[in-house]
Amino acid sequence: MNVLLLGSGGREHALAWKIAASPLLTKLYASPGNPGIGRFAELVKLDIADHSTVAAFCKEKKIDLVVVGPEGPLVAGIADDLRAWGIRVFGPSKAAARLEGSKGFTKDLCAKFNIPTAAYGRFADLAAAKAYVEKMGAPIVIKADGLAAGKGVTIAMTLEEALAALEACFDGAFGSAGAEVVVEEYLTGEEASFFCLCDGATALPFGTAQDHKRVGDGDTGPNTGGMGAYSPAPVMTPEMTERTMREIIEPTMRGMANLGAPFAGILFAGLMITDQGPKLIEYNTRFGDPECQVLMMRLKDDLLVLLNAAVDGQLAHMSARWSDEAALTVVMAARGYPGTPEKGSVIRGLDEAASDGAEIFHAGTAINGGALVANGGRVLNVTATGTTVGEAQKKAYVAIDRIDWPQGFFRHDIGWRAVEREQTGK
Ligand code: AMP
Ligand code: GLY
C-alpha cells in the first residue's frame, strides 16, 4: 500500500514508525512531516488546507490510504473532500469531527443520549453567560466552543476569574472559536484518556493513557498541549473500561449514527473518573499528542491492518493486542514554551540517547545547515517501556540525560501518580 500521512508532530512520527513496520506498506509519504518522520517517509510539501491539491497528489502517487494526524484538517472536512475523489481516508467526516470542533455540539449530544458529563449551559451572548455563572457560582469552567489549540479552557476558582474569562472569550481572545461559550460544572476526580478505534458502527477499545498538561513539575504553571504521558492509565481498570464503553462510548456511536454522522476514526475521550464513575470531559477526534507515542510503543498488532479495518467498516471482526509493559514519554520543549519558543538551537546526542532502546520521536525539529535544530514548542518525545511505569520512567530520564540540548527543558516527574501507586501498592 502507498500511504500518505498528514501532520508534523511527535504523534505523526510515532504513527509513521508503526506504519513503516507493516508488511503491507509499499511506500510512505508524509506532509509536511519532520526530520524524524523523514527516516521512514518521503516528505512532501502540500498545502493541506487546499484539499484538491492533496487529492491530486494522491491520484498521481496512487495513494491507497490517507492518515490524518491533527484535528484541524478533519474539522475543515478533508476526509469528505478526499472521499469525494474516491480516496480512502482514515479520519472522521466533517460532521463527525464536530465532536472535537464544537464543545457545545458534544454537550448537546451528551444531553440527548444520556451520556454522563458535567452540567452545562451554551451561550452566544455575554449577559446570559454571566447570569448563568452568577447563578451557579465558582469553581466553574469556561470553554470557547471551537478549536482553540488547547487554550480555550479556563478553570475559574473564583467568580471574578469566571467573569473575566467570559469577557475575554466574547472579546475575541480565541477568535471565532470563542463566539460561543460553554459554561460547565467543575468536576473533581482523576483524569484519564481513553481511545477507541471506530468504523462508524463498532468502537474497539484502543488503549488508555494519562498525560500531564501543566508545564511545570508538580503539575504547576500554565497549561500546554501535554508535557508527557504514560500508558496504561492505572485508574482505567477493566470495570471502569467496561462502564466507559457502555455509558459513554457506545451511546456516542449510536447517537452519531442517529444524527446521520457515524463516527469513523480515533475517538479520544478525555474522562474524569469521579465518585459516581466516568464522566466525559471532552472528545477529540484524533490520536492524542503525546498519548499516541505511548500507545504505539505498546501496540503489538499491525497498525495498517487495523486502520484499514476501520476504513472498511470491519472492526467488529478485529481485536487489538497490547504489550503488558508500560510506556512513558517525556516531552522536551524549547525555552519559552508554552509562550513563544526559541527556535534554532542545535540538538545533539540523539543516537546515544536511543542506544538503550528508548525511542525518540521528533515533535518540532528541523534540519539547518546539516544540524538538527529546535523548530517548535514541543521538540522531542523521549519514550521508553518497562515492566512498570517506574522502570519506563527511569529509562526515559536516562535517555534524556544523554541528549545534549542546553536550550531545552522538561518535567522531571512524568508518571508520578502511577509511580506513587506502584510504590504504595494502592
Ligand atoms: P479540555 O480542553 O476540555 O480537555 O480541558 C482542558 C483541561 O481542563 C482538562 O484536561 C481538564 O484538566 C480541565 N477541565 C476541563 N473541563 C473540566 C471540568 N468540567 N471540570 C474540571 N476540570 C475540567
Ligand atoms: N495531549 C492532549 C491532546 O492531544 O489533546
Side-chain angles (χ1 to χ4, degrees), residues 93-168:
S93 68
K94 183 174 183 168
R98 281 179 296 173
L99 285 174
E100 176 157 5
S102 167
K103 294 188 189 294
F105 171 81
T106 297
K107 298 301 286 189
D108 287 354
L109 181 93
C110 288
K112 186 162 179 202
F113 296 97
N114 234 339
I115 296 167
T117 188
Y120 74 107
R122 262 184 105 164
F123 303 96
D125 87 280
L126 180 61
K130 275 187 164 172
Y132 183 79
V133 163
E134 275 159 4
K135 186 178 98 197
M136 302 300 281
I140 194 155
V141 181
I142 313 293
K143 299 184 173 181
D145 181 77
L147 291 186
K151 300 203 171 88
V153 175
T154 305
I155 312 289
M157 299 315 285
T158 64
L159 210 52
E160 291 68 45
E161 274 176 83
L163 297 175
L166 284 178
E167 270 167 24

Coordinates of all heavy atoms in Angstrom, one line a residue, residues 93-168:
S93 N -15.5 12.2 9.2 CA -16.0 13.3 8.3 C -16.1 14.6 9.1 O -16.0 14.6 10.3 CB -17.5 12.8 7.9 OG -18.3 12.9 9.1
K94 N -16.4 15.6 8.3 CA -16.6 17.0 9.0 C -17.7 16.9 10.0 O -17.6 17.5 11.1 CB -16.9 18.0 7.9 CG -17.0 19.4 8.4 CD -17.2 20.3 7.2 CE -17.2 21.8 7.7 NZ -17.1 22.7 6.6
A95 N -18.8 16.3 9.6 CA -19.9 16.2 10.6 C -19.6 15.4 11.8 O -20.0 15.8 12.9 CB -21.1 15.6 9.9
A96 N -18.8 14.4 11.7 CA -18.4 13.6 12.9 C -17.3 14.3 13.7 O -17.3 14.1 14.9 CB -18.0 12.2 12.4
A97 N -16.5 15.0 13.0 CA -15.4 15.8 13.7 C -16.0 16.9 14.6 O -15.2 17.5 15.3 CB -14.4 16.3 12.7
R98 N -17.3 17.2 14.5 CA -17.9 18.2 15.4 C -17.7 17.8 16.8 O -17.8 18.6 17.7 CB -19.4 18.4 15.1 CG -19.6 19.3 13.8 CD -21.1 19.4 13.6 NE -21.7 18.1 13.2 CZ -23.0 17.9 13.1 NH1 -23.8 18.9 13.2 NH2 -23.4 16.7 12.8
L99 N -17.5 16.5 17.1 CA -17.3 16.0 18.4 C -16.1 16.7 19.0 O -16.0 16.9 20.3 CB -17.1 14.5 18.5 CG -18.3 13.6 18.3 CD1 -17.9 12.2 18.2 CD2 -19.3 13.9 19.5
E100 N -15.1 17.1 18.2 CA -14.0 17.9 18.7 C -14.1 19.4 18.3 O -13.8 20.3 19.1 CB -12.6 17.4 18.1 CG -11.5 18.3 18.5 CD -10.1 17.6 18.5 OE1 -10.0 16.5 18.1 OE2 -9.1 18.3 18.9
G101 N -14.7 19.7 17.2 CA -14.8 21.0 16.7 C -15.7 21.9 17.4 O -15.6 23.1 17.3
S102 N -16.7 21.3 18.1 CA -17.7 22.2 18.8 C -18.0 21.5 20.1 O -18.6 20.5 20.2 CB -19.0 22.3 18.0 OG -20.0 22.9 18.8
K103 N -17.6 22.2 21.2 CA -17.8 21.6 22.5 C -19.3 21.6 22.8 O -19.8 20.7 23.5 CB -17.0 22.4 23.6 CG -15.5 22.2 23.4 CD -14.7 22.9 24.6 CE -13.2 22.9 24.3 NZ -12.6 21.6 24.2
G104 N -20.0 22.6 22.3 CA -21.4 22.7 22.5 C -22.2 21.5 21.9 O -23.1 21.0 22.4
F105 N -21.7 21.2 20.7 CA -22.3 20.0 19.9 C -22.2 18.8 20.8 O -23.2 18.0 21.0 CB -21.6 19.8 18.6 CG -22.0 18.6 17.9 CD1 -23.1 18.5 17.2 CD2 -21.2 17.4 18.0 CE1 -23.5 17.3 16.5 CE2 -21.6 16.2 17.4 CZ -22.7 16.2 16.7
T106 N -21.0 18.6 21.4 CA -20.8 17.3 22.2 C -21.6 17.4 23.4 O -22.2 16.4 23.8 CB -19.3 17.2 22.5 OG1 -18.6 17.0 21.3 CG2 -19.0 16.0 23.4
K107 N -21.7 18.5 24.1 CA -22.6 18.6 25.3 C -24.0 18.3 24.9 O -24.7 17.6 25.7 CB -22.4 20.0 25.9 CG -21.0 20.4 26.4 CD -20.4 19.5 27.4 CE -21.0 19.6 28.8 NZ -20.3 18.9 29.8
D108 N -24.5 18.9 23.8 CA -25.9 18.6 23.4 C -26.1 17.1 23.1 O -27.1 16.5 23.5 CB -26.3 19.4 22.2 CG -26.5 20.9 22.6 OD1 -26.4 21.2 23.8 OD2 -26.7 21.7 21.7
L109 N -25.1 16.5 22.5 CA -25.2 15.0 22.2 C -25.3 14.3 23.6 O -26.1 13.3 23.7 CB -23.9 14.6 21.5 CG -23.9 13.1 21.1 CD1 -24.5 12.9 19.7 CD2 -22.5 12.5 21.1
C110 N -24.5 14.7 24.5 CA -24.5 14.0 25.8 C -25.9 14.1 26.5 O -26.4 13.2 27.0 CB -23.4 14.6 26.8 SG -21.8 14.2 26.3
A111 N -26.4 15.4 26.4 CA -27.7 15.6 27.0 C -28.8 14.7 26.3 O -29.6 14.1 26.9 CB -28.1 17.1 26.9
K112 N -28.7 14.7 25.0 CA -29.7 14.0 24.2 C -29.7 12.4 24.4 O -30.7 11.8 24.5 CB -29.5 14.3 22.7 CG -30.6 13.7 21.8 CD -30.6 14.4 20.5 CE -31.7 13.8 19.6 NZ -31.6 14.0 18.2
F113 N -28.4 11.9 24.6 CA -28.3 10.5 24.7 C -27.9 10.0 26.1 O -27.4 8.9 26.2 CB -27.3 10.0 23.6 CG -27.9 10.2 22.2 CD1 -27.5 11.3 21.5 CD2 -28.8 9.3 21.7 CE1 -28.0 11.6 20.2 CE2 -29.3 9.6 20.4 CZ -28.9 10.7 19.7
N114 N -28.1 10.9 27.1 CA -27.9 10.5 28.4 C -26.5 10.0 28.8 O -26.3 9.0 29.5 CB -28.8 9.3 28.7 CG -29.7 9.6 29.9 OD1 -29.3 10.5 30.7 ND2 -30.8 8.9 30.0
I115 N -25.5 10.7 28.2 CA -24.1 10.4 28.5 C -23.6 11.2 29.6 O -23.7 12.5 29.6 CB -23.3 10.7 27.2 CG1 -23.8 9.8 26.1 CG2 -21.8 10.5 27.4 CD1 -23.3 10.1 24.7
P116 N -23.0 10.6 30.7 CA -22.6 11.3 31.8 C -21.5 12.4 31.5 O -20.4 12.0 31.0 CB -22.0 10.3 32.8 CG -22.0 9.0 32.1 CD -22.8 9.1 30.8
T117 N -21.7 13.6 31.9 CA -20.8 14.7 31.7 C -21.1 15.8 32.7 O -22.1 15.7 33.4 CB -20.9 15.2 30.2 OG1 -19.9 16.1 29.9 CG2 -22.2 15.8 29.9
A118 N -20.3 16.9 32.7 CA -20.6 18.0 33.6 C -21.8 18.7 33.2 O -22.0 18.9 32.0 CB -19.4 18.9 33.6
A119 N -22.6 19.2 34.1 CA -23.8 20.0 33.8 C -23.3 21.3 33.1 O -22.2 21.7 33.4 CB -24.5 20.4 35.1
Y120 N -24.1 21.8 32.2 CA -23.6 22.9 31.4 C -24.6 23.9 30.9 O -25.8 23.6 30.9 CB -22.8 22.3 30.1 CG -23.8 21.8 29.1 CD1 -24.0 22.5 27.9 CD2 -24.5 20.6 29.3 CE1 -24.9 22.0 26.9 CE2 -25.4 20.1 28.4 CZ -25.6 20.8 27.2 OH -26.5 20.4 26.2
G121 N -24.2 25.0 30.3 CA -25.0 25.9 29.6 C -24.2 26.3 28.3 O -23.0 26.4 28.4
R122 N -25.0 26.6 27.2 CA -24.3 27.1 26.0 C -24.8 28.5 25.7 O -26.0 28.8 25.8 CB -24.9 26.3 24.8 CG -24.1 25.2 24.4 CD -24.7 24.5 23.2 NE -24.0 24.9 21.9 CZ -24.1 24.2 20.8 NH1 -25.0 23.2 20.7 NH2 -23.4 24.6 19.7
F123 N -23.9 29.4 25.5 CA -24.2 30.8 25.3 C -23.6 31.5 24.1 O -22.4 31.3 23.9 CB -23.8 31.6 26.6 CG -24.5 31.0 27.8 CD1 -23.8 30.1 28.6 CD2 -25.8 31.3 28.2 CE1 -24.4 29.5 29.7 CE2 -26.4 30.7 29.3 CZ -25.7 29.8 30.0
A124 N -24.4 32.3 23.5 CA -23.8 33.1 22.4 C -23.8 34.6 22.7 O -23.4 35.4 22.0 CB -24.6 32.9 21.1
D125 N -24.2 35.0 24.0 CA -24.0 36.4 24.4 C -23.6 36.5 25.8 O -23.9 35.6 26.7 CB -25.3 37.2 24.0 CG -26.3 37.1 25.1 OD1 -27.1 36.1 25.2 OD2 -26.4 38.1 25.9
L126 N -22.9 37.5 26.1 CA -22.2 37.7 27.4 C -23.1 37.8 28.5 O -22.9 37.2 29.6 CB -21.3 39.0 27.3 CG -20.5 39.4 28.5 CD1 -19.5 38.3 28.9 CD2 -19.7 40.7 28.3
A127 N -24.2 38.6 28.4 CA -25.1 38.8 29.5 C -25.7 37.5 30.0 O -25.7 37.3 31.2 CB -26.2 39.8 29.1
A128 N -26.2 36.7 29.1 CA -26.8 35.4 29.5 C -25.8 34.5 30.2 O -26.1 33.8 31.2 CB -27.4 34.8 28.3
A129 N -24.5 34.5 29.6 CA -23.5 33.6 30.2 C -23.2 34.1 31.6 O -23.0 33.3 32.5 CB -22.3 33.7 29.3
K130 N -23.1 35.4 31.8 CA -22.7 36.0 33.1 C -23.8 35.6 34.1 O -23.5 35.2 35.2 CB -22.6 37.5 33.0 CG -21.3 38.0 32.6 CD -21.2 39.5 32.7 CE -19.8 40.0 32.6 NZ -19.7 41.5 32.6
A131 N -25.0 35.7 33.7 CA -26.2 35.4 34.6 C -26.1 34.0 35.0 O -26.3 33.6 36.2 CB -27.5 35.7 33.9
Y132 N -25.7 33.1 34.1 CA -25.6 31.6 34.4 C -24.5 31.4 35.4 O -24.7 30.7 36.4 CB -25.4 30.8 33.1 CG -25.3 29.3 33.3 CD1 -26.5 28.6 33.5 CD2 -24.1 28.7 33.3 CE1 -26.4 27.2 33.6 CE2 -24.0 27.3 33.4 CZ -25.2 26.5 33.6 OH -25.1 25.2 33.7
V133 N -23.3 32.0 35.2 CA -22.2 31.9 36.0 C -22.5 32.4 37.4 O -22.2 31.7 38.4 CB -21.0 32.6 35.4 CG1 -19.9 32.8 36.5 CG2 -20.4 31.8 34.2
E134 N -23.2 33.5 37.5 CA -23.5 34.0 38.8 C -24.5 33.1 39.6 O -24.4 33.0 40.8 CB -24.1 35.5 38.7 CG -22.9 36.5 38.6 CD -23.3 37.8 38.0 OE1 -24.4 38.0 37.6 OE2 -22.3 38.6 37.9
K135 N -25.4 32.5 38.8 CA -26.3 31.6 39.4 C -25.6 30.3 39.9 O -25.9 29.8 41.0 CB -27.4 31.2 38.4 CG -28.5 30.3 39.0 CD -29.6 30.0 38.0 CE -29.4 28.6 37.4 NZ -30.0 28.3 36.2
M136 N -24.7 29.8 39.2 CA -24.0 28.5 39.5 C -22.9 28.7 40.5 O -22.6 27.8 41.3 CB -23.4 27.9 38.3 CG -24.4 27.6 37.1 SD -25.7 26.5 37.6 CE -24.9 24.9 37.5
G137 N -22.2 29.9 40.5 CA -21.1 30.1 41.4 C -19.8 29.4 41.0 O -19.8 28.6 40.2
A138 N -18.7 29.7 41.7 CA -17.4 29.2 41.5 C -17.2 28.0 42.4 O -17.8 27.9 43.5 CB -16.3 30.2 41.6
P139 N -16.2 27.0 42.1 CA -15.5 27.0 40.9 C -16.4 26.6 39.7 O -17.4 25.9 39.9 CB -14.4 25.9 41.2 CG -15.0 25.0 42.3 CD -15.9 26.0 43.1
I140 N -16.0 27.0 38.5 CA -16.7 26.8 37.3 C -15.8 26.8 36.1 O -14.7 27.4 36.2 CB -17.9 27.8 37.2 CG1 -18.9 27.4 36.2 CG2 -17.4 29.2 37.0 CD1 -20.3 27.9 36.4
V141 N -16.2 26.2 35.0 CA -15.3 26.1 33.9 C -15.9 26.8 32.7 O -17.1 26.6 32.4 CB -15.1 24.6 33.6 CG1 -14.1 24.4 32.4 CG2 -14.5 23.8 34.8
I142 N -15.1 27.6 32.0 CA -15.5 28.4 30.9 C -14.7 27.9 29.7 O -13.5 27.8 29.7 CB -15.1 29.9 31.1 CG1 -15.5 30.4 32.4 CG2 -15.7 30.7 29.9 CD1 -17.0 30.5 32.7
K143 N -15.4 27.5 28.6 CA -14.8 27.0 27.4 C -15.2 27.7 26.1 O -16.4 27.8 25.9 CB -15.1 25.5 27.2 CG -14.7 24.6 28.4 CD -14.9 23.2 28.2 CE -14.3 22.4 29.3 NZ -14.5 20.9 29.1
A144 N -14.3 28.1 25.3 CA -14.6 28.6 24.0 C -15.1 27.4 23.2 O -14.6 26.3 23.4 CB -13.3 29.1 23.3
D145 N -16.2 27.6 22.4 CA -16.8 26.4 21.8 C -15.9 25.7 20.8 O -15.9 24.5 20.7 CB -18.1 26.9 21.0 CG -18.8 25.8 20.4 OD1 -19.5 25.0 21.1 OD2 -18.7 25.6 19.2
G146 N -15.2 26.5 20.0 CA -14.5 25.9 18.8 C -13.1 25.5 19.1 O -12.6 25.5 20.3
L147 N -12.3 25.2 18.1 CA -10.9 24.8 18.2 C -10.1 26.0 18.6 O -10.1 27.0 18.0 CB -10.3 24.3 16.9 CG -10.9 23.0 16.4 CD1 -10.1 22.6 15.1 CD2 -10.8 21.9 17.4
A148 N -9.3 25.9 19.8 CA -8.5 27.0 20.3 C -7.1 26.5 20.6 O -6.5 27.0 21.6 CB -9.2 27.7 21.4
A149 N -6.7 25.5 19.9 CA -5.3 25.0 20.2 C -5.1 24.7 21.6 O -4.0 24.9 22.2 CB -4.3 25.9 19.6
G150 N -6.1 24.1 22.3 CA -5.9 23.7 23.7 C -5.9 24.9 24.7 O -5.7 24.7 25.9
K151 N -6.2 26.1 24.2 CA -6.1 27.3 25.1 C -7.4 27.8 25.5 O -7.5 28.8 26.2 CB -5.2 28.4 24.4 CG -3.8 27.9 24.0 CD -2.9 29.1 23.9 CE -1.4 28.6 23.8 NZ -1.0 28.3 22.4
G152 N -8.5 27.3 25.0 CA -9.8 27.9 25.2 C -10.5 27.6 26.5 O -11.7 27.9 26.6
V153 N -9.8 26.9 27.4 CA -10.5 26.4 28.6 C -10.0 27.2 29.8 O -8.8 27.3 30.0 CB -10.3 24.9 28.9 CG1 -10.9 24.4 30.2 CG2 -10.9 24.1 27.7
T154 N -10.9 27.7 30.6 CA -10.5 28.4 31.9 C -11.1 27.7 33.1 O -12.4 27.5 33.1 CB -10.9 29.9 32.0 OG1 -10.3 30.5 30.8 CG2 -10.4 30.6 33.2
I155 N -10.3 27.2 34.0 CA -10.9 26.6 35.2 C -10.9 27.8 36.2 O -9.8 28.2 36.7 CB -9.9 25.5 35.8 CG1 -9.6 24.5 34.7 CG2 -10.6 24.8 37.0 CD1 -10.6 23.6 34.2
A156 N -12.1 28.3 36.4 CA -12.2 29.5 37.3 C -12.5 29.1 38.7 O -13.5 28.5 39.0 CB -13.2 30.4 36.7
M157 N -11.6 29.4 39.6 CA -11.8 29.1 41.0 C -12.6 30.2 41.7 O -13.1 29.9 42.8 CB -10.4 28.8 41.7 CG -9.6 27.7 41.2 SD -10.5 26.2 40.8 CE -10.8 25.5 42.4
T158 N -12.7 31.3 41.1 CA -13.5 32.4 41.7 C -14.4 33.0 40.6 O -14.2 32.8 39.4 CB -12.6 33.6 42.2 OG1 -11.9 34.2 41.0 CG2 -11.5 33.1 43.1
L159 N -15.4 33.7 41.1 CA -16.4 34.3 40.2 C -15.8 35.3 39.4 O -16.1 35.4 38.2 CB -17.5 34.9 41.1 CG -18.9 35.0 40.5 CD1 -19.4 33.6 40.0 CD2 -19.9 35.5 41.6
E160 N -14.8 36.1 39.9 CA -14.1 37.1 39.2 C -13.4 36.5 38.0 O -13.5 37.0 36.9 CB -13.1 37.9 40.1 CG -13.7 38.8 41.2 CD -14.4 37.9 42.3 OE1 -13.8 36.9 42.7 OE2 -15.5 38.3 42.6
E161 N -12.7 35.4 38.2 CA -11.9 34.8 37.1 C -12.9 34.3 36.0 O -12.6 34.4 34.9 CB -11.2 33.5 37.6 CG -9.9 33.7 38.3 CD -9.4 32.4 38.8 OE1 -8.8 31.6 38.0 OE2 -9.6 32.1 40.0
A162 N -14.0 33.8 36.5 CA -15.0 33.2 35.5 C -15.6 34.4 34.7 O -15.7 34.2 33.4 CB -16.2 32.5 36.3
L163 N -15.9 35.5 35.3 CA -16.5 36.6 34.5 C -15.4 37.2 33.6 O -15.7 37.5 32.4 CB -17.0 37.7 35.5 CG -18.2 37.2 36.4 CD1 -18.6 38.2 37.4 CD2 -19.4 36.8 35.5
A164 N -14.1 37.3 34.0 CA -13.1 37.8 33.2 C -12.9 36.8 32.0 O -12.7 37.3 30.9 CB -11.8 37.9 34.0
A165 N -13.0 35.5 32.2 CA -12.8 34.6 31.1 C -13.9 34.7 30.1 O -13.7 34.7 28.9 CB -12.8 33.1 31.7
L166 N -15.1 34.9 30.6 CA -16.3 35.1 29.7 C -16.0 36.4 28.8 O -16.2 36.4 27.6 CB -17.6 35.3 30.4 CG -18.2 34.1 31.0 CD1 -19.4 34.4 31.8 CD2 -18.5 33.1 29.9
E167 N -15.6 37.5 29.5 CA -15.4 38.7 28.8 C -14.3 38.5 27.7 O -14.4 39.0 26.6 CB -15.0 39.8 29.7 CG -16.3 40.5 30.2 CD -16.1 41.5 31.4 OE1 -15.0 42.0 31.6 OE2 -17.1 41.7 32.0
A168 N -13.2 37.8 28.1 CA -12.1 37.6 27.1 C -12.6 36.8 25.9 O -12.3 37.2 24.7 CB -11.0 36.8 27.8

